[in-house]
Amino acid sequence: MPGPFTPQALAAYLAALHRAPVAKVRVAPLGGGRQGDKGYGYGIPLRVDYELEGAPRRGVIETVRPGPFGHEHMADRAQLMLWAHSAFGRLPRHVRSLDVGAVRAGGNLVPLGDAEELFSLAEFVEGREYADDLIRMGKGGAAAPQDFARADALCDYLVEIHGKRGAEPGLYVRRVRELVGHGECIFGVADSYPPGPLDAAVQEVERRALEWRWKLRRRTERLCQVHGDFHPWNILFRADTDFSVLDRSRGEWGEAADDVCCLTLNYLFFSLRRCGRLEGDLENLFRRFWDRYLDRSGDGAILEVAAPFFAFRALVMANPVWYPALPPGLRGRILDFALNVLAAPRFDPERANAYCGA
């Protein structure tokens, strides 16, 4: 029986749920065809017998075990439980869900069945978005020594966090799958494009990215700690090179190229907006970042897997929903970059302009 679901803990939980006294709680695993006929099950249901104000009652406690099929993270499993509680009662002849609960760190069970929305509370930190620096340079401002120092600090930060390797290969497979199929990633962003002249290019990015999924899914030795959404609006700088990061996304583990491509494509993007190609200080930052990352991480193989991560971020940047003020020619150049990178067997930072057709 799962540790938290003792008769004592369940008695307190059921009393809070029913707002009435509960006694004589008994717990036993449910066997039979629900689990016994399958080679894999998402969890082990527990039968709970108890008395509510002296009357006999019966229920089933179910959990979802950590594992593949999109259940690796606690938030994945919470999503399933919350959905089931709201959906069971809407289907004729379905068993009713009585509640959905949470197990607190101390082992207490907390009812959440009447929750309508979840929220998070994070600390507030001072700082200015790193995007402010890139916007300044993108408008023609010269880079200062601080700009290069900040790029170095961000590069070294990624080298540090990517140096922590993951131990669950399935999380890498999931990350690559979600890069293509998740609603926040390639397929979802592509779906948000309005019909128009970009249709053919977006569809071709999708097709080529799907081919890359099959190239990357076996590279599970590359699983490492990641931020997952390392763009300039999620980085807050204070004085000099002191910074904090915000809003990591899509799990703790993934592919290092996700973070490196996410940030460095912004050097290209702001330079393209300024003059139609990668040049000047933004080119220096782009190349400096890649050279430093490759040297300090020793991860030359990142160039073999970068293409679909660049493609995802390029789809966001070229999207009229995300960047409504871009001229059509610039959108086309960004998508050309994605398509040409996807067509190459290995990304070459020195060919950034060639990938854009610039």
Side-chain angles (χ1 to χ4, degrees):
M1 154 188 332
F5 301 106
T6 64
Q8 294 79 12
L10 281 165
Y13 162 73
L14 292 167
L17 174 63
H18 293 299
R19 299 179 182 177
V22 167
K24 298 183 179 178
V25 177
R26 300 181 304 281
V27 190
L30 270 175
R34 298 186 65 191
Q35 295 292 136
D37 296 339
K38 296 194 295 184
Y40 182 86
Y42 292 153
I44 300 175
L46 303 174
R47 173 174 162 171
V48 181
D49 291 273
Y50 59 101
E51 289 186 2
L52 177 64
E53 296 183 309
R57 298 288 291 267
R58 181 180 301 166
V60 175
I61 294 284
E62 294 203 55
T63 58
V64 179
R65 72 179 75 189
F69 308 106
H71 302 154
E72 291 89 347
H73 310 306
M74 184 276 285
D76 301 326
R77 302 186 290 277
Q79 178 187 32
L80 289 179
M81 296 288 100
L82 291 167
W83 177 85
H85 179 63
S86 66
F88 280 8
R90 293 197 292 265
L91 184 67
R93 298 179 180 269
H94 201 291
V95 298
R96 288 190 307 127
S97 174
L98 301 176
D99 185 47
V100 60
V103 182
R104 295 182 63 89
N108 296 332
L109 309 181
V110 182
L112 298 174
D114 58 354
E116 293 185 355
E117 195 60 64
L118 302 182
F119 67 92
S120 65
L121 178 66
E123 65 174 340
F124 174 83
V125 295
E126 298 283 354
R128 295 183 60 184
E129 295 169 339
Y130 184 46
D132 289 349
D133 294 353
L134 304 189
I135 291 169
R136 169 177 48 81
M137 287 182 276
K139 291 180 177 179
Q146 178 175 271
D147 291 310
F148 294 98
R150 286 183 170 183
D152 290 349
L154 295 174
C155 178
D156 294 349
Y157 170 74
L158 290 186
V159 170
E160 178 185 354
I161 67 170
H162 295 164
K164 185 174 182 180
R165 314 307 293 187
E168 299 181 51
L171 293 179
Y172 190 86
V173 178
R174 173 177 178 160
R175 197 73 170 211
V176 173
R177 180 175 68 244
E178 290 181 344
L179 170 66
V180 178
H182 196 282
E184 295 181 355
C185 296
I186 290 175
F187 281 6
V189 174
D191 281 343
S192 71
Y193 270 72
L198 300 177
D199 286 356
V202 172
Q203 289 177 34
E204 185 63 13
V205 169
E206 275 197 4
R207 187 187 68 79
R208 295 186 188 182
L210 190 59
E211 294 177 354
W212 273 91
R213 185 176 92 85
W214 287 90
K215 296 178 184 178
L216 265 60
R217 62 192 295 270
R218 304 295 185 193
R219 304 292 296 265
T220 56
E221 78 285 353
R222 294 189 52 78
L223 182 70
C224 67
Q225 181 179 233
V226 293
H227 179 280
D229 203 17
F230 199 66
H231 60 67
W233 286 267
N234 277 344
I235 303 166
L236 297 181
F237 271 101
R238 291 170 290 276
D240 300 322
T241 59
D242 180 31
F243 71 93
S244 298
V245 296
L246 312 174
D247 295 342
R248 70 183 307 198
S249 298
R250 291 178 287 277
E252 299 177 58
W253 306 97
E255 164 58 56
D258 191 355
D259 290 336
V260 179
C261 294
C262 181
L263 183 61
T264 59
L265 189 58
N266 279 276
Y267 299 132
L268 173 65
F269 176 68
F270 283 98
S271 188
L272 288 174
R273 292 181 67 177
R274 184 185 65 194
C275 59
R277 59 182 285 112
L278 181 63
E279 66 179 28
D281 289 333
L282 287 164
E283 179 178 15
N284 292 336
L285 287 169
F286 179 89
R287 295 201 176 188
R288 180 187 181 103
F289 196 105
W290 274 102
D291 288 345
R292 187 181 182 93
Y293 186 89
L294 291 169
D295 177 63
R296 299 210 165 191
S297 69
D299 182 17
I302 193 174
L303 301 174
E304 301 170 1
V305 301
F309 295 95
F310 268 135
F312 161 42
R313 300 297 173 173
L315 278 179
V316 173
M317 292 175 175
N319 193 325
V321 173
W322 288 92
Y323 291 91
L326 293 186
L330 181 53
R331 297 188 198 282
R333 186 155 288 184
I334 294 169
L335 291 175
D336 284 343
F337 174 85
L339 289 168
N340 289 324
V341 167
L342 288 167
R346 177 185 175 93
F347 176 69
D348 182 353
E350 295 186 4
R351 290 182 50 78
N353 279 314
Y355 295 135
C356 295

